[in-house]
C-alpha cells in the first residue's frame, strides 16, 4: 500500500481514550451498527473481555453469528488527535477513515477522511 500525504483541514480529538485493541483470531461480541450523519458506513461496536468496547470496521470481522465475530487481523481503534494544518502520512483507508502518522511526533491513529485533504510534500 502506497503512503499518501495529507493536510488536516479541521481539528480532530479522540473521544475514546482507551481504544479497543485486539489480535487476529480474537473473539468479539458484536453490538450495534453505526448509524450517523457522517456517512461512516460499516462500523460495528464490539467488545472483548477486559477492555472498553469500541468501533470496528466490518472488513475485519468474520461473523460466527449475529452477535459474535472473529478478528481477521490485528487492530486498534486508536484515533490520532490532529490540528488543522498538521501534515500527515496516510496509509490504509476504511469506511471514511484513514490510518495516519504525524511525522513530527511519530504518533499514529485513525483520522476521519472528512478532516483531511491530499497534500504535496
Amino acid at each position: 500500500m502506497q503512503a499518501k500525504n495529507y493536510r488536516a483541514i479541521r481539528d480532530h480529538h479522540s473521544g475514546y481514550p482507551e481504544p479497543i485493541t485486539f489480535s487476529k483470531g480474537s473473539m468479539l461480541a458484536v453490538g450495534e451498527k453505526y448509524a450517523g450523519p457522517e456517512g461512516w458506513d460499516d462500523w460495528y461496536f464490539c467488545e472483548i473481555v477486559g477492555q472498553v468496547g469500541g468501533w470496528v470496521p466490518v472488513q475485519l470481522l468474520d461473523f460466527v453469528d449475529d452477535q459474535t465475530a472473529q478478528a481477521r487481523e490485528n487492530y486498534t481503534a486508536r484515533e490520532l488527535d490532529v490540528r488543522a494544518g498538521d501534515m500527515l502520512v496516510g496509509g490504509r483507508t476504511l469506511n471514511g477513515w484513514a490510518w495516519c502518522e504525524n511525522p513530527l511526533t511519530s504518533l499514529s491513529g485513525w483520522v476521519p477522511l472528512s478532516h483531511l485533504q491530499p497534500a504535496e510534500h
Side-chain angles (χ1 to χ4, degrees):
M1 175 181 320
Q2 189 169 7
K4 185 172 185 176
N5 295 317
Y6 290 106
R7 174 179 282 108
I9 57 173
R10 283 192 291 218
D11 293 354
H12 173 73
H13 301 286
S14 175
Y16 298 94
E18 298 178 27
I20 190 170
T21 301
F22 51 81
S23 300
K24 179 180 180 177
S26 297
M27 298 305 293
L28 306 165
V30 180
E32 69 178 301
K33 182 176 180 181
Y34 183 79
E38 299 90 350
W40 299 333
D41 296 329
D42 297 324
W43 291 85
Y44 285 85
F45 193 82
C46 295
E47 295 178 305
I48 190 167
V49 175
Q51 294 189 44
V52 175
W55 296 100
V56 179
V58 71
Q59 295 91 329
L60 277 58
L61 302 174
D62 188 10
F63 283 89
V64 175
D65 58 39
D66 289 344
Q67 299 177 339
T68 309
Q70 186 171 28
R72 292 183 177 174
E73 59 188 72
N74 298 341
Y75 174 75
T76 180
R78 182 177 63 239
E79 295 178 25
L80 180 62
D81 291 339
V82 298
R83 293 186 170 265
D86 285 354
M87 298 302 294
L88 308 170
V89 178
R92 186 175 195 180
T93 60
L94 285 171
N95 310 341
W97 291 72
W99 182 262
C100 293
E101 179 180 341
N102 183 326
L104 295 179
T105 64
S106 297
L107 297 174
S108 59
W110 294 100
V111 180
L113 283 171
S114 61
H115 289 53
L116 304 173
Q117 72 179 21
E120 297 297 322
H121 235 25

